[in-house]
């Protein structure tokens, strides 16, 4: 109970400061909240002279946006010759007329980002509704070396090979090529009445593998739908192949925790769903105590920022080629710690939600896209429901967030 009281005390002041100041005071600007994120997962060859028109799906809306561009995994200074944002017009690369804006960096339309660093734009006055598709176009005039990107976007974006002057195009004609990756852009914040954001931190199960591309049906997207009425954004910090205990695809979970989660704007909760790649990967990690220590360390770092943490149990992978009885034993023992070890402020039992009652080592057939590891759209919805329930109540049925005044007692959402 002491832990619950501590978390509630930290989270109570969620209302924007502007709503709490006296009427005679000058209103403070509304806060920034993360509305969309992707985590850098690797690099690709630079395309000098190209313009990348990234399509990103916001969770919460606001009256202005700012974008984060990354050279975190690059080896040379990255010159961004132009960056624009716009609401997307239907499908494809065209901007909704009248919405295209130039992003500046300390007032300048260009910026050079050092290797290992990010750049965040100035505020761009552009009203954006919740669940909007935003076009973030990045023109790179030079060969700046390896391009920081997110490999598994599950979203079609667009490329103009001759990009000079094309970042400002409302028309999408020049964007004749498509890509399944996000280049350079790693975050969009909005300024407005949002109550904060939830970071979904994990591997391919969070990244969205198995869900239908171009439909925004990853479980963090589904969670964003469920939390929209509570004015909470959801940020997807999943990386396919990522690991808890060592570097895999991208830096390990502890190495990237600050940059991909704790440092993001307006974070109110962290959801940790990571560890299966350590069990099934090479080399395999078979000491449950190592997982427990890693989870405790992540939680301690989040608590130091006043951020509560939801732990998600590791889901079955029976039938996947890397499954072994020894790995299954580790998974069960790690899950026992997640459920009962006391490290987390709340637990989302995704294992119980998606496992096949006829064979608990496997995912339910209705949730299995065919590889016996990831989730299809229905499975993603089941995970989202489980995380939503964990966010709204602790193990003792006490609300984690005081502004969640009504319990979720109706039938689960599937849309």
């Amino acid at each position: 109970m002491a832990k619950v009281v501590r978390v509630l005390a930290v989270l109570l002041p969620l209302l924007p400061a502007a709503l709490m100041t006296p009427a005679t005071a000058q209103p403070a600007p509304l806060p920034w909240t993360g509305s969309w994120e992707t985590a850098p997962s690797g690099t690709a060859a630079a395309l000098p002279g190209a313009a990348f028109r990234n399509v990103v799906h916001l969770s919460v809306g606001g009256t202005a946006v700012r974008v984060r561009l990354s050279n975190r995994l690059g080896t040379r200074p990255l010159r961004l010759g132009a960056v624009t944002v716009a609401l997307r017009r239907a499908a494809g690369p065209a901007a909704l007329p009248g919405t295209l804006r130039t992003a500046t960096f300390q007032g300048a339309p260009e910026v050079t980002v050092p290797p290992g660093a990010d750049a965040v734009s100035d505020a761009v006055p552009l009203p954006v509704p919740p669940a909007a598709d935003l076009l973030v176009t990045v023109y790179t005039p030079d060969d700046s070396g390896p391009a920081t990107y997110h490999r598994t976007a599950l979203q079609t974006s667009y490329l103009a090979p001759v990009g000079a002057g094309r970042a400002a195009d409302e028309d999408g004609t020049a964007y004749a090529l498509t890509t399944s990756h996000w280049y350079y852009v790693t975050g969009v914040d909005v300024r407005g009445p949002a109550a904060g954001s939830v970071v979904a931190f994990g591997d391919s199960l969070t990244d969205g593998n198995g869900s239908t591309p171009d439909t925004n049906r990853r479980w963090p997207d589904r969670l964003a739908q469920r939390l929209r009425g509570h004015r909470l954004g959801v940020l997807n910090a999943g990386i396919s192949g990522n690991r808890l205990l060592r570097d895999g695809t991208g830096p390990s979970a502890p190495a990237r925790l600050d940059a991909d989660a704790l440092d993001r704007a307006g974070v109110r909760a962290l959801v940790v769903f990571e560890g299966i790649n350590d069990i099934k990967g090479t080399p395999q990690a078979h000491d449950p105590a190592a997982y427990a220590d890693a989870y405790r360390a992540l939680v301690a770092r989040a608590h130091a920022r006043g951020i509560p943490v939801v732990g998600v149990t590791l889901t079955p992978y029976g039938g996947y080629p890397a499954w072994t009885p020894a790995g299954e034993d580790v998974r069960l023992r790690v899950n026992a710690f997640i459920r009962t070890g006391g490290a987390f402020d709340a637990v989302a039992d995704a294992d119980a939600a998606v496992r096949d009652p006829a064979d608990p080592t496997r995912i339910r057939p209705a949730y299995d896209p065919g590889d016996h590891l990831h989730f299809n759209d229905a499975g993603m919805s089941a995970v989202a429901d489980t995380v939503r329930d964990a966010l709204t109540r602790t193990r003792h049925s006490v609300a984690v967030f005081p502004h969640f005044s009504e319990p979720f007692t109706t039938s689960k959402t599937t849309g």
Side-chain angles (χ1 to χ4, degrees):
M1 183 59 69
K3 179 184 289 186
V4 173
V5 171
R6 175 174 57 79
V7 173
L8 291 175
V10 168
L11 288 172
L12 186 59
L14 286 174
L15 288 176
L19 301 181
M20 302 177 67
T21 53
T24 56
Q26 183 68 30
L30 289 171
W32 289 104
T33 294
S35 183
W36 175 87
E37 175 191 352
T38 195
S41 67
T43 60
L47 295 175
F52 300 88
R53 180 153 282 184
N54 299 281
V55 178
V56 306
H57 188 69
L58 304 182
S59 54
V60 288
T63 59
V65 301
R66 65 183 183 187
V67 294
R68 178 185 298 268
L69 288 309
S70 183
N71 191 26
R72 196 191 308 172
L73 304 180
T75 58
R76 288 154 50 185
L78 167 66
R79 179 185 166 210
L80 304 178
V83 178
T84 62
V85 296
L87 291 170
R88 182 157 77 146
R89 185 181 69 192
L96 186 68
T99 67
L100 194 139
R101 306 282 191 274
T102 296
T104 59
F105 300 83
Q106 296 185 338
E110 294 191 15
V111 66
T112 298
V113 188
D118 293 350
V120 178
S121 77
D122 303 328
V124 179
L126 175 65
V128 293
D133 279 351
L134 192 72
L135 303 177
V136 181
T137 305
V138 181
Y139 167 56
T140 53
D142 309 319
D143 184 354
S144 299
T148 296
Y149 82 146
H150 184 88
R151 183 175 185 272
T152 310
L154 296 172
Q155 172 66 61
T156 301
S157 291
Y158 301 89
L159 174 67
V162 181
R166 295 302 183 183
D169 284 3
E170 284 188 347
D171 187 295
T173 303
Y175 293 86
L177 303 180
T178 61
T179 176
S180 59
H181 316 306
W182 284 308
Y183 282 85
Y184 302 113
V185 62
T186 59
V188 178
D189 300 334
V190 297
R191 173 170 277 165
S197 57
V198 175
V199 179
F201 190 74
D203 49 39
S204 60
L205 301 175
T206 298
D207 209 357
N209 294 46
S211 65
T212 304
D214 292 316
T215 61
N216 303 303
R217 293 178 182 171
R218 314 163 191 86
W219 74 257
D221 297 315
R222 296 303 184 99
L223 181 65
Q225 294 173 350
R226 287 143 174 78
L227 298 182
R228 194 163 295 140
H230 301 287
R231 301 182 292 112
L232 281 169
V234 177
L235 305 180
N236 189 334
I239 296 178
S240 297
N242 202 230
R243 298 180 68 154
L244 177 69
L245 303 178
R246 61 186 298 136
D247 291 346
T249 302
S252 69
R256 68 187 187 91
L257 179 66
D258 287 353
D260 289 344
L262 304 184
D263 291 346
R264 298 291 169 147
V267 176
R268 300 302 185 204
L270 174 68
V271 181
V272 176
F273 187 11
E274 187 135 28
I276 200 66
N277 287 325
D278 298 272
I279 293 175
K280 71 175 186 60
T282 302
Q284 297 175 344
H286 281 172
D287 180 8
Y291 294 80
D293 289 345
Y295 290 137
R296 287 192 188 99
L298 295 180
V299 172
R301 289 166 61 186
H303 282 177
R305 305 278 196 100
I307 299 170
V309 186
V310 175
V312 185
T313 52
L314 305 183
T315 47
Y317 68 111
Y320 188 75
W323 185 91
T324 64
E328 178 66 9
D329 179 67
V330 174
R331 186 182 73 87
L332 295 177
R333 293 168 68 187
V334 170
N335 280 349
F337 172 80
I338 294 172
R339 292 186 181 104
T340 65
F344 295 100
D345 300 292
V347 173
D349 200 344
D351 171 42
V354 306
R355 68 190 178 212
D356 185 353
D359 183 355
T361 69
R362 290 177 174 258
I363 300 169
R364 290 175 182 263
Y367 295 160
D368 189 346
D371 66 3
H372 314 303
L373 172 66
H374 299 102
F375 313 125
N376 61 17
D377 296 347
M380 292 288 178
S381 283
V383 173
D385 285 332
T386 303
V387 173
R388 182 270 316 271
D389 289 346
L391 281 166
T392 57
R393 35 175 96 80
T394 69
R395 290 186 295 273
H396 304 291
S397 298
V398 178
V400 172
F401 293 100
H403 68 296
F404 283 140
S405 57
E406 73 282 2
F408 289 93
T409 56
T410 58
S411 61
K412 292 181 177 180
T413 305
T414 57

